[in-house]
Amino acid sequence: MRCELVTVPGDPERPNEDWASAAVPASGQGGVVVVLDGVTPPEGDDGCVHSVPWFTARLGGALVELSGSRRDMDLAEILSESIRRTTDAHRSTCDVSHVRTPQATVALARWGEHAIEYLVLSDAVLLLEGADGAVRAVLDDRLDRLPPGSLASAATVDGRLRNKEGGFFTAAADPAVAARAATGSVPVTEVRSLAALTDGASRWTEVFREGGWAALLELVRKAGPQGLIDRVRELEGADAAAGRVRLRRGKTHDDATAVFVEL
């Protein structure tokens, strides 16, 4: 197995709110990949004394631990329990019911001798390359299905969309959100590689339309995760120089994380 992981902040003056990890069990069989993209809150109160990186580190640590040690739990159960643990860690100091309480998108994969399990929540991306070279994208496309302009107003997002039916869901304080994730499994013999991406890295396909998911995975195989992120930064810089605005939520550069695993 070969694994490469790269994460780059969108702004070197600000903390990176992405979090990623890859782990191999002590048995040496199988593995786990976790990628989180912390949600940057709008200006104003979020009811929490902690930062988004604090939240993603807590949630990510719980996901890695449980994914590696609790093979009796499926990934939705693991996400649910990880959210519960993280929420309990700051329930006494923070208003965890606040709509802007720290939260994150999730891409999670776990494989063993027989199967690869996967889970995606919100706009993270997980790519599975089959033995025949075909690439399948595991997506939670709720954000893409919102009407144009829906995310322009923070009041609309908070009041009608964030973690609400008909809107979109993230890992925040409610363990029940795990049931909203896209989940499944495939035989391990049918997958030769996988990639997990935050939306800062998946922009190469989703925003700049440089190629489909198969082309993105091939770029990562040849140039590595750093090569993908470097190319995204070049495209972002060209857009900024030309005065083009193509990015949802208006960030010229976003935190970008990519993990590539060749099985």
Side-chain angles (χ1 to χ4, degrees), residues 2 116 127-131 134-136 188 190-195 217-218 221 260-263:
R2 176 170 70 97
I116 296 179
L127 303 179
L128 303 174
E129 181 188 25
V135 175
R136 174 188 176 190
V188 71
E190 295 182 7
V191 177
R192 70 183 186 189
S193 73
L194 61 89
L217 192 64
E218 185 62 20
R221 184 192 306 283
F260 176 68
V261 178
E262 200 162 42
L263 300 174

Side-chain angles (χ1 to χ4, degrees), residues 217-228:
L217 192 64
E218 185 62 20
L219 173 60
V220 172
R221 184 192 306 283
K222 291 179 177 178
Q226 186 66 61
L228 169 65

Side-chain angles (χ1 to χ4, degrees), residues 3-8 16 18-22 33-36 107 125-127 194-204 216-217 219-221 223-230 232-233 255-261:
C3 179
E4 296 182 54
L5 186 160
V6 173
T7 184
V8 178
N16 189 340
D18 286 359
W19 191 96
S21 181
V33 166
V34 179
V35 170
L36 305 179
V125 176
L126 183 68
L127 303 179
L194 61 89
L197 314 165
T198 61
D199 68 338
S202 64
R203 287 177 169 188
W204 190 85
L216 185 151
L217 192 64
L219 173 60
V220 172
R221 184 192 306 283
Q226 186 66 61
L228 169 65
I229 294 172
D230 287 346
V232 168
R233 292 292 186 252
D255 301 334
T257 299
V259 182
F260 176 68
V261 178

Side-chain angles (χ1 to χ4, degrees), residues 37 139 145:
D37 182 352
L139 306 169
R145 288 190 272 119

Side-chain angles (χ1 to χ4, degrees), residues 1 24-25 27-32 67 71 110-117 185-191 263:
M1 183 184 75
V24 177
S27 65
Q29 295 182 343
V32 174
S67 296
R71 291 280 173 173
R110 177 174 67 179
W111 60 97
E113 184 179 356
H114 302 294
I116 296 179
E117 304 164 78
S185 67
V186 294
V188 71
T189 54
E190 295 182 7
V191 177
L263 300 174

Side-chain angles (χ1 to χ4, degrees), residues 106 157 180:
V106 183
V157 172
R180 305 288 188 167

Side-chain angles (χ1 to χ4, degrees), residues 117-194:
E117 304 164 78
Y118 56 80
L119 178 150
V120 171
L121 184 66
S122 196
D123 59 3
V125 176
L126 183 68
L127 303 179
L128 303 174
E129 181 188 25
D132 60 356
V135 175
R136 174 188 176 190
V138 181
L139 306 169
D140 171 4
D141 65 353
R142 290 183 178 92
L143 278 168
D144 293 329
R145 288 190 272 119
L146 295 177
S150 298
L151 302 177
S153 164
T156 298
V157 172
D158 290 346
R160 303 205 324 244
L161 300 176
R162 190 186 303 278
N163 287 313
K164 290 181 172 62
E165 197 66 47
F168 62 93
F169 294 91
T170 58
D174 182 6
V177 78
R180 305 288 188 167
T183 61
S185 67
V186 294
V188 71
T189 54
E190 295 182 7
V191 177
R192 70 183 186 189
S193 73
L194 61 89

